[in-house]
Amino acid sequence: MRLLFIATLILALIPMQSFAHAWMKLRIATSEYAPYTSTDMQQDGYINHIIADAFLETGVEVEFVSLPWEEALEATLRGEYDALSYGNFVRSREREFYHSNPISAESLVFYVNAEKGPKTWSELEELKDLKMGMTQGYLYNDELAAFIKDNENVIQRANDKENFQALIDGEIDIFPIDELTGWYLLQREFSRGERRDVMTIKPFVSTITTHLLVPKGTADSQLVLSLFNKGLEELTLEGKLTRFKRLLKEGYYQHPQKKVNYDRR
């Protein structure tokens, strides 16, 4: 509490741009989830660029450590890392993590097998007899988390690419993923013919907000959360979040040897 008080006092008295050197260093667990987080991308990906710059606004330096998602989640809960980048807002996660203020808002959509899948939907109950692919360890939103829990037709795979392959091969009928990640992955990893075998359906599932996840119960958790939220506020006021979003749409955050033409979406 004393450290939090001192940090709050510093932030209140010193303009953000006056921090010439880091007074605090954090280690943040992350995962490979292009184009939002990836060690192969500029600035470690779009979300990590925002996180690093938000902390820098408050004089905090960040080191990202890339791990498989479930390992990153468990290691952060054990206190090995100060925070986790990143997670969608899911209420059940609030028992163990603080959600930062929203970093971005994205559209969660359903991809379906173009031949076997439905052309539209209105309620999750309509989809209960379909084979739905899910990525292990992911909580998409509260409604889907509840749907997954009690549905025997949900098939979990290790990653999004495997789910798309299963969708193309007709092993599953439907797969939820955020729209940009799905489009990006299909462009990078699959042929034009394979991409014709899948499509999105309307309406989109929901708008999901992304957050830095800070583990509860550690000595500095409230401090880390406060520093990040303060820095994120500064980025918003300075117009940098708008700039970073533009860079995302222009294709700045991508693998240098596997570039994707975002204008062809």
Side-chain angles (χ1 to χ4, degrees):
M1 289 300 294
R2 179 176 173 78
L3 185 55
L4 177 59
F5 172 76
I6 294 171
T8 303
L9 186 62
I10 291 172
L11 294 178
L13 297 178
I14 304 176
M16 293 299 106
Q17 61 268 29
S18 67
F19 284 115
H21 302 286
W23 62 276
M24 185 180 189
K25 294 185 178 181
L26 300 176
R27 295 178 78 233
I28 296 180
T30 187
S31 60
E32 296 296 312
Y33 198 69
Y36 300 113
T37 58
S38 176
T39 54
D40 285 337
M41 294 186 154
Q42 295 286 349
Q43 307 292 336
D44 294 311
Y46 166 64
I47 294 292
N48 283 347
H49 191 186
I50 292 174
I51 290 172
D53 271 38
F55 274 119
L56 197 59
E57 289 280 341
T58 61
V60 176
E61 185 178 308
V62 166
E63 175 193 359
F64 290 107
V65 180
S66 185
L67 300 165
W69 169 253
E70 289 191 296
E71 287 184 29
L73 194 70
E74 292 168 5
T76 305
L77 283 174
R78 290 195 300 267
E80 296 176 22
Y81 299 96
D82 298 293
L84 173 60
S85 171
Y86 66 97
N88 301 335
F89 182 85
V90 181
R91 289 186 185 89
S92 61
R93 194 178 276 138
E94 289 186 298
R95 293 191 299 268
E96 299 173 318
F97 287 98
Y98 294 111
H99 290 77
S100 73
N101 290 343
I103 299 171
S104 69
E106 311 298 336
S107 295
L108 183 65
V109 300
F110 280 129
Y111 275 87
V112 301
N113 181 285
E115 182 178 343
K116 296 172 58 181
K119 306 306 178 186
T120 186
W121 72 287
S122 58
E123 296 181 359
L124 287 175
E125 184 68 17
E126 300 171 12
L127 309 176
K128 66 180 181 179
D129 295 327
L130 299 178
K131 291 182 180 178
M132 182 179 291
M134 293 288 179
T135 299
Q136 290 175 359
Y138 287 5
L139 296 175
Y140 297 84
N141 63 14
D142 293 307
E143 291 72 25
L144 270 177
F147 181 80
I148 294 167
K149 184 178 179 181
D150 300 320
N151 194 322
E152 295 180 355
N153 284 326
V154 171
I155 302 169
Q156 296 200 32
R157 287 178 169 80
N159 54 57
D160 293 333
K161 183 180 178 181
E162 289 185 13
N163 273 304
F164 267 126
Q165 189 64 60
L167 196 61
I168 291 166
D169 294 341
E171 295 174 5
I172 59 174
D173 305 307
I174 191 166
F175 171 50
I177 190 172
D178 90 81
E179 186 174 23
L180 181 60
T181 300
W183 181 88
Y184 183 90
L185 188 59
L186 285 168
Q187 295 294 316
R188 275 192 57 187
E189 303 294 342
F190 296 92
S191 68
R192 183 177 299 178
E194 289 173 321
R195 293 196 295 270
R196 282 198 293 264
D197 291 336
V198 300
M199 65 180 190
T200 58
I201 59 173
K202 293 182 178 179
F204 65 89
V205 183
S206 65
T207 298
I208 50 177
T209 54
T210 63
H211 306 259
L212 180 72
L213 301 179
V214 181
K216 292 183 174 180
T218 63
D220 294 337
S221 58
Q222 288 282 2
L223 171 61
V224 171
L225 185 68
S226 297
L227 290 169
F228 178 73
N229 285 340
K230 179 63 176 176
L232 190 64
E233 180 184 357
E234 290 298 321
L235 292 184
T236 303
L237 293 173
E238 294 166 12
K240 288 186 177 180
L241 288 187
T242 301
R243 175 173 170 265
F244 293 161
K245 191 73 170 186
R246 185 174 68 251
L247 288 174
L248 174 66
K249 293 179 178 179
E250 291 173 353
Y252 174 72
Y253 306 102
Q254 55 180 304
H255 192 290
Q257 275 76 52
K258 289 188 175 183
K259 292 188 175 181
V260 170
N261 184 353
Y262 280 68
D263 291 335
R264 301 181 67 181
R265 244 184 309 165

